[in-house]
Amino acid sequence: MNDTTIIQLLQEQNSLLCALLAVHNKPTLGFSDRPPASAQWVFIGRHGDSCWYFLDKDSQPIPIAHTALTGWVVDLKFDKVTRRGKQTYKLNLTMRTDTYVYTLSTGHDTCAAKSLLTSLAIMSPDQLQSPITLSVSPGEDESIVWCRIYAPDYIKGPQWQQNTDFRPIAQTAINNVRVASKQG
């Protein structure tokens, strides 16, 4: 083999190693440090220092230490449920990661729901075809959780007032997610 052939082979090998490193260094979507499992419900709400949690097999809350979840939004809907003997609605956002599916659930009229809906309503279906990062943070009151969306930059939904009608905002957000899911 001559020097030119050796240099060419080394350059090809270097290219392959760079490609392998790029794949290995690719960020993982979803929460970190979680063993494989089936679809998982995540409840948005304050539990100690955490803003969201899972329930174990005995329905005991398990706080999630991570403050962000990255993945594709695949569904957004309101479900009627019975809580404490009363009918109420929950906002359920389903996200898919590389490996897992999470359904995030919160009350339909919470700050978390309103901040999610206003951000999703101003996003385009094209933006929703890429992974987004949903970040939770505590509010000034122990019952408040704020949700922020990054796609990749912060998507700041419009401010709302106490009397804001969220029905059209929710419908726009749901339509954006449906269109994005059908295109993807």
Side-chain angles (χ1 to χ4, degrees):
M1 271 193 218
N2 62 30
D3 289 342
T4 306
T5 305
I6 292 172
I7 290 172
Q8 182 182 1
L9 289 172
L10 287 171
Q11 287 173 335
E12 287 175 21
Q13 182 181 17
N14 190 42
S15 270
L16 289 171
L17 288 172
C18 286
L20 283 171
L21 282 173
V23 168
H24 178 65
N25 291 332
K26 180 181 165 187
T28 302
L29 302 178
F31 293 114
S32 303
D33 306 323
R34 183 170 178 265
S38 60
Q40 178 71 54
W41 280 83
V42 176
F43 300 93
I44 300 173
R46 298 284 287 275
H47 186 51
D49 292 336
S50 179
C51 290
W52 46 18
Y53 56 92
F54 299 115
L55 293 179
D56 69 11
K57 62 181 170 67
D58 299 320
S59 297
Q60 295 301 308
I62 301 172
I64 299 170
H66 304 284
T67 59
L69 173 63
T70 302
W72 292 271
V73 176
V74 295
D75 194 23
L76 178 67
K77 63 183 176 180
F78 290 93
D79 289 324
K80 188 186 278 190
V81 297
T82 302
R83 295 284 189 259
R84 298 180 190 104
K86 295 182 192 174
Q87 296 260 315
T88 188
Y89 287 91
K90 293 289 185 178
L91 176 66
N92 294 323
L93 173 80
T94 302
M95 291 182 71
R96 180 179 51 84
T97 68
D98 291 331
T99 311
Y100 305 106
V101 174
Y102 298 94
T103 298
L104 288 73
S105 184
T106 188
H108 75 285
D109 61 350
T110 63
C111 290
K114 292 174 181 179
S115 56
L116 271 174
L117 290 170
T118 57
S119 295
L120 290 169
I122 65 169
M123 293 180 72
S124 72
D126 287 340
Q127 286 177 296
L128 289 167
Q129 286 186 324
S130 297
I132 66 162
T133 299
L134 192 148
S135 174
V136 292
S137 59
E140 55 282 350
D141 180 302
E142 282 193 27
S143 64
I144 295 177
V145 174
W146 296 105
C147 291
R148 291 184 174 85
I149 293 178
Y150 297 84
D153 296 319
Y154 175 47
I155 304 293
K156 184 173 172 64
Q159 295 292 327
W160 68 85
Q161 303 300 320
Q162 192 70 16
N163 62 348
T164 299
D165 182 4
F166 271 88
R167 287 177 292 205
I169 295 168
Q171 193 57 58
T172 300
I174 290 168
N175 288 338
N176 288 347
V177 169
R178 283 184 183 152
V179 169
S181 293
K182 287 179 183 172
Q183 290 175 352

